[in-house]
């Protein structure tokens, strides 16, 4: 999609509709957050383009819905192969456009491959399983349950894991037999455009996959309110998620939401301290903390607290912040100027609320250009402060002590969110007990934030509506039909 001089500013078509690349009227700039240089401009769409894309997808749906799971699996595998073949290029585009180090971009690209391969397997397994007999408490009737694709779906994704959040929606939607209109984030269109180019060459019939780049206000809103869609699957902030839900409600569309988090990492009194510090650092600073799953509230058992805090502060100070394309960089810049300013404002408000900043939270002196920020560790954070309660979406950890397991659980659960949690401790019974008591959709015990396409993704409370990945991610794009016959 991007020419060989991929990083030269050029105008790229931002629409792929009915099998054709097209240009919209609005030019949006894709910025390199490490250099603040414009990498390319994307000729993006509007409500009219969304309408054209939805009509194309609706025309394609009748045939695509009738394909066998094996046929759909073939396309999904072709996409996985295309991504694998362009792995390096996708990594570079992602690092340049989002600021994440190449090592993290590699994890993302591999996750995309694994996701398309996994759903290829589930698509194949659908053949022969589309209808399942249902035993009724009456011999006069026979019944079956049939799973069908839910229709044409709109997919709206954020910038923090471009391609990954796309793959988590697109692969199951295509596997189920749905046609899609995808809207990537205006912040990170470049890796998404490259992925779209791979999809365009994968053998999909025209109209099955459509892409409309553009702003949330123009394209996202038009998609959420479009009456021709059966469902919207959205990943992003809570504020926008609520708007999407409200617009979708006007035509009673299905909605799946993956929203924010303010997750806890609990360090129990018998924890391995080195492991606990590593997990806290990874949970807070991976992707410069721009993770819905960031374990940004760290709860530490009283006997370990002082030592833990000292080691975590040292670790944060040693993080190599730099150009994401350079070897040895552990943390790149924040993904955009807007995000940088948002995080800085949170840090400021936190300090004014009385929280104690132990390190970081400022631009590295040697970085005069780019949205760089040194990882921050706070303690003495008031429980009612925004720093403790709101998603910051930057490299900012708040550390607090607890004196009993009960208190740790209560503190962790005292949040409007409930996406994930981590528990560190040697006593298996205690870690399992704490995991069971946490209101979170995924709990890691003594483990980094590993994610597999086979395991469910999503949270409790205001973090999610529905689940992605695994068979649950496929079911999210299926309708259930009961057929009952007199015998
Ligand atoms: P965002 O809500 O600003 O934007 C997300 C997407 O929605 C973008 O494509 C944007 O253009 C679009 N959008 C904006 N306004 C819209 C509107 N009025 N109608 C429809 N669409 C609109 O979020 P962001 O800043 O891109 O991403 C960060 C957020 O995403 C964080 O809150 C993070 O927690 C969340 N997130 C959640 C998960 C998860 O799995 N739970 C994963 C990744 C990110």
């Amino acid at each position: 999609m991007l020419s060989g001089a991929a990083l030269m500013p050029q105008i790229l078509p931002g629409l792929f509709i009915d099998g054709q690349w097209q240009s919209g009227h609005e030019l949006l700039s894709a910025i390199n957050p490490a250099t603040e240089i414009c990498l390319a401009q994307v000729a993006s769409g509007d409500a009219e383009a969304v309408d054209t894309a939805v009509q194309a997808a609706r025309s394609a749906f009748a045939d695509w819905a009738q394909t066998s799971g094996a046929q759909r699996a073939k396309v999904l595998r072709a996409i996985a192969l295309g991504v694998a073949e362009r792995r390096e290029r996708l990594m570079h585009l992602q690092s340049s456009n989002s600021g994440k180090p190449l090592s993290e971009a590699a994890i993302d690209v591999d996750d995309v491959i694994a996701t398309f391969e996994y759903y290829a397997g589930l698509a194949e397994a659908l053949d022969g399983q589309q209808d399942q007999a249902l035993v009724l408490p009456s011999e006069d009737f026979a019944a079956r349950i049939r799973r069908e694709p839910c229709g044409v779906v709109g997919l709206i994704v954020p910038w923090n894991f471009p391609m990954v959040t796309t793959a988590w929606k697109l692969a199951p939607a295509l596997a189920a037999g749905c046609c899609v209109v995808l809207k990537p984030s205006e912040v990170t269109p470049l890796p998404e455009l490259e992925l779209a180019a791979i999809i365009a060459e994968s053998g999909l019939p025209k109209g099955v996959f459509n892409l409309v780049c553009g702003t949330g206000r123009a394209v996202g809103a038009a998609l959420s309110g479009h009456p021709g869609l059966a469902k919207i699957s959205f990943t992003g902030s809570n504020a926008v998620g609520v708007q999407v839900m409200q617009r979708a409600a006007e035509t009673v569309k299905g909605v799946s939401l993956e929203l924010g988090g303010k997750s806890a990492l609990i360090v129990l009194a018998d924890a391995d301290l080195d492991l606990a510090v590593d997990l806290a650092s990874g949970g807070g600073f991976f992707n410069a903390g721009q993770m819905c799953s960031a374990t940004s509230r760290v709860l530490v058992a009283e006997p370990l607290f002082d030592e833990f805090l000292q080691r975590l502060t040292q670790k944060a100070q040693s993080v190599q912040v730099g150009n994401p394309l350079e070897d040895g960089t552990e943390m790149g810049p924040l993904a955009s100027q807007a995000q940088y300013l948002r995080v800085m404002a949170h840090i400021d408000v936190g300090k004014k609320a009385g929280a104690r900043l132990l390190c970081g939270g400022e631009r590295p002196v040697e970085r005069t250009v780019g949205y760089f920020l040194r990882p921050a560790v706070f303690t003495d954070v008031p429980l009612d402060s925004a720093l403790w309660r709101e998603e910051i979406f930057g490299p900012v950890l708040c550390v607090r002590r607890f004196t009993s397991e009960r208190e740790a659980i209560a503190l962790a659960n005292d949040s409007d969110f409930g996406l994930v949690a981590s528990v560190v401790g040697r006593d298996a019974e205690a870690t399992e007990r704490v995991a069971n008591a946490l209101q979170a959709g995924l709990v890691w015990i003594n483990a980094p934030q590993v994610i597999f396409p086979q395991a469910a993704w999503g949270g409790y409370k205001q973090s999610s509506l529905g689940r992605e990945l695994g068979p649950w991610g496929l079911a999210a794009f299926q309708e259930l039909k009961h057929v009952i016959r007199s015998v």
Side-chain angles (χ1 to χ4, degrees), residues 277-312:
V277 169
D278 276 356
L279 295 180
S281 168
F285 305 143
F286 190 86
N287 203 22
Q290 300 164 119
M291 293 191 291
C292 50
S293 60
T295 39
S296 49
R297 294 181 300 145
V298 182
L299 304 166
V300 186
E302 170 70 39
L304 300 184
F305 184 78
D306 291 338
E307 176 74 11
F308 175 89
L309 203 55
Q310 192 197 336
R311 288 209 215 172
L312 180 67

Side-chain angles (χ1 to χ4, degrees), residues 156-161 165 168 183-186 214-217 220-221 224 234-238 240 243-244 258-261 291-292 339 342 391 393 419 457 463-464 468:
I156 303 177
V157 295
W159 46 260
N160 63 330
F161 289 100
T165 40
W168 288 11
K183 190 204 105 52
S185 166
E186 54 272 52
T215 61
R217 198 170 302 149
S224 328
F234 171 84
T235 298
S237 63
N238 284 61
V240 175
Q243 289 175 32
V244 166
E258 283 303 335
L259 307 175
M291 293 191 291
C292 50
Q339 192 57 23
R342 213 173 288 149
E391 182 181 53
F393 226 57
L419 190 55
W457 179 263
S463 282
S464 301
E468 296 197 314

Side-chain angles (χ1 to χ4, degrees), residues 61 64-67 72 126 129-132 144-153 172-179 230-231 473-483:
F61 180 66
W64 181 245
Q66 293 306 317
T67 52
R72 299 196 294 275
L126 282 176
Q129 282 185 14
Q130 194 177 4
D131 293 280
Q132 286 176 330
R144 64 188 161 92
I145 291 180
R146 188 172 170 77
R147 287 170 198 277
E148 298 183 341
C150 69
V152 174
V153 294
L174 294 177
C178 293
C179 293
K231 169 162 196 163
L474 182 68
F477 292 105
Q478 291 175 317
E479 277 289 5
L480 280 188
K481 180 184 280 177
H482 275 176
V483 180

